[in-house]
């Protein structure tokens, strides 16, 4: 994609789609690499970091986030900053403070794009950029990737720098890539990976080796539908079909129930998000609550009643859970589930007291595992669904190899939504 093509599409369609907070015209960067967008949780020098809020998190950052600098240095071109759920705390993609993007797959009904990297996923799906940066604390890269029909790749902790990325829960936060295909997501991860002397101590990630990795004979555990809780009928159908396609790619898929259901990671992950998030953002919430999304305020305020001792206990239990799950997963090359149990619903049907979109994604953050969401088809209403593959600790390479192998046999073939209704 050329920057001129990207700008032309943004001018034509984003007035209604609302994926971008700010467009860089001309785009930033001197190279000839892919065009990328930046979630408005990442600092960009001289550009306010809005964080999905009416009052910016940083009025005038003095430096770029490390990952932004790495992409620019590699010749990628930055096209702008994308919408996010306020303070990145929500899976639906709603934002009552500054407005939410549309899911590009339905021009007639405003459907949830998924969050919190809502604008990044919508921008990639709409063909505004080749890839976009996102953050993932409980699924915030993989959820919108699934609901918007793009690839979402989340690394394990320590592979990618968090410098210049505003936090939600430091013990869970990760940076990830949203892209039009697995190869682009993997190459973005390869560029942004590597030690930074503070928040990243691994890498760099070898994207090309991962993309050419052999999957014949690999063993993937897959959770049976009757152990996944409530799953939309179309999503369940597409999930089972995706597993069959993985088998045709040479992967051995074994239907198993893990030692602890993925749902059991949901509550403790939420406790850590609320407890850590409240400690980070308390002063801001108390000062600006009148102009904040009230549902975001309510989520953070749960953390007010979580004591330091309770947080310490939760982290200790998390370490036990990680050891148990990692030991079980060592017998497999990955674990497959639907990314989200439901497709993106109409915004007026969203229940902010629940978080079904993150029910199957939070485990990867809680257990500190890499994960990818790859499109696996459309529901009867024409909404995308995703296949999630969670990998072993520090094994992003196998996650990418499995994702790329599935993509080749998925039948998706870079499908994009019809944007004519947004023009």
């Amino acid at each position: 994609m050329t920057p001129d093509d990207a700008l032309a599409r943004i001018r034509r369609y984003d007035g209604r789609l609302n994926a971008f907070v700010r467009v860089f015209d001309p785009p930033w960067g001197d190279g000839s690499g892919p065009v990328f967008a930046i979630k408005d949780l990442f600092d960009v020098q001289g550009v306010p970091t809005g964080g999905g809020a009416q009052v910016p998190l940083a009025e005038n950052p003095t430096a770029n986030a490390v990952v932004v600098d790495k992409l620019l240095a590699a010749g990628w071109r930055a096209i702008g900053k994308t919408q996010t759920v306020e303070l990145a705390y929500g899976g639906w993609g709603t934002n009552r403070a500054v407005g939410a993007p549309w899911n590009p797959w339905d021009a007639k009904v405003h459907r949830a794009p998924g969050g919190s990297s809502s604008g990044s996923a919508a921008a990639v799906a709409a063909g505004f950029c080749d890839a976009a940066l996102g953050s993932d604390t409980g699924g915030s890269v993989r959820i919108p990737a699934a609901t918007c029909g793009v690839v979402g790749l989340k690394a394990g902790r320590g592979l990618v720098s968090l410098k210049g990325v505003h936090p939600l829960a430091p013990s869970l936060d990760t940076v990830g890539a949203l892209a039009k295909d697995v190869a682009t997501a993997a190459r973005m991860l390869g560029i942004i990976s590597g030690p930074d002397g503070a928040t990243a101590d691994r890498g760099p990630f070898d994207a090309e080796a991962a993309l050419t990795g052999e999957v014949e004979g690999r063993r993937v555990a897959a959770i049976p539908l009757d152990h996944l809780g409530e799953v939309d009928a179309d999503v369940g159908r597409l999930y089972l079909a995706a597993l069959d396609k993985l088998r045709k790619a040479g992967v051995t898929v074994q239907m198993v129930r893990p030692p602890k259901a993925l749902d059991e990671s949901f509550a403790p992950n939420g406790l850590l998000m609320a407890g850590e998030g409240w400690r980070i953002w308390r002063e801001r919430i108390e000062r600006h609550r009148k102009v904040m999304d009230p549902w975001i305020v309510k989520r953070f305020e749960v953390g007010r009643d979580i004591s330091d001792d309770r947080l310490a206990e939760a982290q200790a239990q998390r370490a036990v859970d990680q050891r148990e799950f990692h030991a079980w997963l060592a017998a497999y090359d990955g674990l497959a589930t639907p990314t989200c149990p439901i497709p993106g619903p109409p915004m007026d049907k969203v229940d902010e007291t629940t978080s079904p979109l993150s029910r199957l994604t939070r485990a990867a953050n809680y257990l500190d595992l890499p994960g990818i969401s790859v499109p696996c088809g459309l529901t009867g209403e024409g909404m995308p669904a995703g296949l999630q593959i969670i990998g072993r600790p520090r094994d992003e390479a196998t996650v990418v190899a499995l994702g790329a192998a599935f993509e080749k046999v998925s039948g998706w073939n870079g499908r994009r939504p019809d944007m004519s209704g947004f023009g």
Side-chain angles (χ1 to χ4, degrees), residues 4 37 61 63 78 132 140 147 155 193 221 271 276 316 327 330 406 417:
D4 286 345
S140 288
T147 56
S193 65
L271 183 148
E276 294 181 19
F406 171 71

PDB file of all heavy atoms in Angstrom, residues 4 37 61 63 78 132 140 147 155 193 221 271 276 316 327 330 406 417:
ATOM      1  N   ASP A   4      -0.212   7.463  -0.426  1.00  0.00           N
ATOM      2  CA  ASP A   4      -1.259   8.195  -1.151  1.00  0.00           C
ATOM      3  C   ASP A   4      -2.556   7.398  -1.205  1.00  0.00           C
ATOM      4  O   ASP A   4      -3.655   7.951  -1.036  1.00  0.00           O
ATOM      5  CB  ASP A   4      -0.789   8.522  -2.573  1.00  0.00           C
ATOM      6  CG  ASP A   4       0.248   9.637  -2.606  1.00  0.00           C
ATOM      7  OD1 ASP A   4       0.393  10.336  -1.582  1.00  0.00           O
ATOM      8  OD2 ASP A   4       0.909   9.793  -3.645  1.00  0.00           O
ATOM      9  N   ALA A  37      -0.472   2.357  11.425  1.00  0.00           N
ATOM     10  CA  ALA A  37      -1.168   3.291  12.304  1.00  0.00           C
ATOM     11  C   ALA A  37      -0.786   2.990  13.747  1.00  0.00           C
ATOM     12  O   ALA A  37      -0.269   1.918  14.066  1.00  0.00           O
ATOM     13  CB  ALA A  37      -2.671   3.177  12.119  1.00  0.00           C
ATOM     14  N   PRO A  61       4.064  14.949  24.182  1.00  0.00           N
ATOM     15  CA  PRO A  61       5.156  14.008  24.449  1.00  0.00           C
ATOM     16  C   PRO A  61       6.459  14.479  23.819  1.00  0.00           C
ATOM     17  O   PRO A  61       6.476  15.013  22.706  1.00  0.00           O
ATOM     18  CB  PRO A  61       4.664  12.711  23.794  1.00  0.00           C
ATOM     19  CG  PRO A  61       3.180  12.859  23.718  1.00  0.00           C
ATOM     20  CD  PRO A  61       2.926  14.323  23.507  1.00  0.00           C
ATOM     21  N   ALA A  63       9.036  12.450  23.208  1.00  0.00           N
ATOM     22  CA  ALA A  63       9.690  11.366  22.463  1.00  0.00           C
ATOM     23  C   ALA A  63       8.634  10.386  21.972  1.00  0.00           C
ATOM     24  O   ALA A  63       7.530  10.302  22.511  1.00  0.00           O
ATOM     25  CB  ALA A  63      10.699  10.642  23.351  1.00  0.00           C
ATOM     26  N   ALA A  78       4.242   6.030   9.054  1.00  0.00           N
ATOM     27  CA  ALA A  78       3.130   6.197   9.997  1.00  0.00           C
ATOM     28  C   ALA A  78       2.059   7.084   9.381  1.00  0.00           C
ATOM     29  O   ALA A  78       2.348   8.188   8.914  1.00  0.00           O
ATOM     30  CB  ALA A  78       3.628   6.803  11.304  1.00  0.00           C
ATOM     31  N   ALA A 132      -1.165  -2.044  12.204  1.00  0.00           N
ATOM     32  CA  ALA A 132      -1.332  -1.033  13.242  1.00  0.00           C
ATOM     33  C   ALA A 132      -0.831  -1.576  14.566  1.00  0.00           C
ATOM     34  O   ALA A 132      -0.912  -2.781  14.839  1.00  0.00           O
ATOM     35  CB  ALA A 132      -2.797  -0.625  13.364  1.00  0.00           C
ATOM     36  N   SER A 140      -6.889  -7.134  24.077  1.00  0.00           N
ATOM     37  CA  SER A 140      -7.193  -5.897  23.349  1.00  0.00           C
ATOM     38  C   SER A 140      -6.596  -5.792  21.960  1.00  0.00           C
ATOM     39  O   SER A 140      -6.928  -4.874  21.216  1.00  0.00           O
ATOM     40  CB  SER A 140      -6.771  -4.683  24.181  1.00  0.00           C
ATOM     41  OG  SER A 140      -7.648  -4.513  25.267  1.00  0.00           O
ATOM     42  N   THR A 147     -13.162  -9.555  15.659  1.00  0.00           N
ATOM     43  CA  THR A 147     -14.448  -8.955  15.308  1.00  0.00           C
ATOM     44  C   THR A 147     -14.382  -8.143  14.027  1.00  0.00           C
ATOM     45  O   THR A 147     -15.409  -7.942  13.367  1.00  0.00           O
ATOM     46  CB  THR A 147     -14.970  -8.076  16.455  1.00  0.00           C
ATOM     47  OG1 THR A 147     -13.996  -7.083  16.780  1.00  0.00           O
ATOM     48  CG2 THR A 147     -15.273  -8.899  17.691  1.00  0.00           C
ATOM     49  N   ALA A 155       2.501 -10.802  21.659  1.00  0.00           N
ATOM     50  CA  ALA A 155       3.699 -11.466  22.170  1.00  0.00           C
ATOM     51  C   ALA A 155       3.570 -11.726  23.666  1.00  0.00           C
ATOM     52  O   ALA A 155       2.715 -11.154  24.345  1.00  0.00           O
ATOM     53  CB  ALA A 155       4.922 -10.588  21.914  1.00  0.00           C
ATOM     54  N   SER A 193      10.445  -5.891  18.300  1.00  0.00           N
ATOM     55  CA  SER A 193      10.924  -6.729  19.396  1.00  0.00           C
ATOM     56  C   SER A 193      12.351  -6.376  19.774  1.00  0.00           C
ATOM     57  O   SER A 193      13.049  -5.662  19.055  1.00  0.00           O
ATOM     58  CB  SER A 193      10.854  -8.204  18.985  1.00  0.00           C
ATOM     59  OG  SER A 193      11.758  -8.453  17.915  1.00  0.00           O
ATOM     60  N   ALA A 221      -3.633 -28.696  20.929  1.00  0.00           N
ATOM     61  CA  ALA A 221      -4.788 -29.022  21.759  1.00  0.00           C
ATOM     62  C   ALA A 221      -5.918 -28.069  21.395  1.00  0.00           C
ATOM     63  O   ALA A 221      -5.680 -26.879  21.168  1.00  0.00           O
ATOM     64  CB  ALA A 221      -4.429 -28.873  23.236  1.00  0.00           C
ATOM     65  N   LEU A 271      -9.239  -8.909  38.246  1.00  0.00           N
ATOM     66  CA  LEU A 271      -8.845  -8.348  39.535  1.00  0.00           C
ATOM     67  C   LEU A 271      -7.530  -7.586  39.422  1.00  0.00           C
ATOM     68  O   LEU A 271      -7.386  -6.476  39.961  1.00  0.00           O
ATOM     69  CB  LEU A 271      -8.724  -9.475  40.559  1.00  0.00           C
ATOM     70  CG  LEU A 271      -8.385  -9.081  42.005  1.00  0.00           C
ATOM     71  CD1 LEU A 271      -9.038 -10.050  42.985  1.00  0.00           C
ATOM     72  CD2 LEU A 271      -6.879  -9.057  42.250  1.00  0.00           C
ATOM     73  N   GLU A 276      -4.393  -2.858  39.721  1.00  0.00           N
ATOM     74  CA  GLU A 276      -3.226  -2.116  39.231  1.00  0.00           C
ATOM     75  C   GLU A 276      -3.661  -0.835  38.541  1.00  0.00           C
ATOM     76  O   GLU A 276      -3.028   0.220  38.698  1.00  0.00           O
ATOM     77  CB  GLU A 276      -2.405  -2.993  38.293  1.00  0.00           C
ATOM     78  CG  GLU A 276      -1.763  -4.188  38.979  1.00  0.00           C
ATOM     79  CD  GLU A 276      -0.921  -5.030  38.031  1.00  0.00           C
ATOM     80  OE1 GLU A 276      -0.525  -4.526  36.951  1.00  0.00           O
ATOM     81  OE2 GLU A 276      -0.646  -6.195  38.358  1.00  0.00           O
ATOM     82  N   ALA A 316       0.664 -14.178  43.629  1.00  0.00           N
ATOM     83  CA  ALA A 316       1.228 -15.449  44.072  1.00  0.00           C
ATOM     84  C   ALA A 316       0.453 -16.619  43.472  1.00  0.00           C
ATOM     85  O   ALA A 316       1.045 -17.613  43.013  1.00  0.00           O
ATOM     86  CB  ALA A 316       1.220 -15.527  45.597  1.00  0.00           C
ATOM     87  N   ALA A 327       3.253 -26.377  32.429  1.00  0.00           N
ATOM     88  CA  ALA A 327       3.649 -27.785  32.452  1.00  0.00           C
ATOM     89  C   ALA A 327       2.704 -28.623  31.597  1.00  0.00           C
ATOM     90  O   ALA A 327       3.141 -29.532  30.863  1.00  0.00           O
ATOM     91  CB  ALA A 327       3.668 -28.303  33.888  1.00  0.00           C
ATOM     92  N   ALA A 330       3.215 -27.969  27.777  1.00  0.00           N
ATOM     93  CA  ALA A 330       4.486 -28.430  27.217  1.00  0.00           C
ATOM     94  C   ALA A 330       4.313 -29.653  26.327  1.00  0.00           C
ATOM     95  O   ALA A 330       5.156 -29.936  25.472  1.00  0.00           O
ATOM     96  CB  ALA A 330       5.469 -28.744  28.350  1.00  0.00           C
ATOM     97  N   PHE A 406      -2.448 -21.992   8.986  1.00  0.00           N
ATOM     98  CA  PHE A 406      -3.907 -21.959   8.935  1.00  0.00           C
ATOM     99  C   PHE A 406      -4.389 -20.940   7.909  1.00  0.00           C
ATOM    100  O   PHE A 406      -5.330 -21.207   7.152  1.00  0.00           O
ATOM    101  CB  PHE A 406      -4.501 -21.624  10.306  1.00  0.00           C
ATOM    102  CG  PHE A 406      -5.977 -21.381  10.243  1.00  0.00           C
ATOM    103  CD1 PHE A 406      -6.854 -22.435  10.016  1.00  0.00           C
ATOM    104  CD2 PHE A 406      -6.498 -20.098  10.341  1.00  0.00           C
ATOM    105  CE1 PHE A 406      -8.222 -22.216   9.900  1.00  0.00           C
ATOM    106  CE2 PHE A 406      -7.858 -19.866  10.240  1.00  0.00           C
ATOM    107  CZ  PHE A 406      -8.720 -20.936  10.012  1.00  0.00           C
ATOM    108  N   PRO A 417     -14.096  -5.956   3.942  1.00  0.00           N
ATOM    109  CA  PRO A 417     -15.495  -5.528   3.904  1.00  0.00           C
ATOM    110  C   PRO A 417     -15.765  -4.593   2.734  1.00  0.00           C
ATOM    111  O   PRO A 417     -14.857  -3.928   2.231  1.00  0.00           O
ATOM    112  CB  PRO A 417     -15.666  -4.796   5.240  1.00  0.00           C
ATOM    113  CG  PRO A 417     -14.281  -4.319   5.585  1.00  0.00           C
ATOM    114  CD  PRO A 417     -13.351  -5.366   5.071  1.00  0.00           C
TER     115      PRO A 417
END
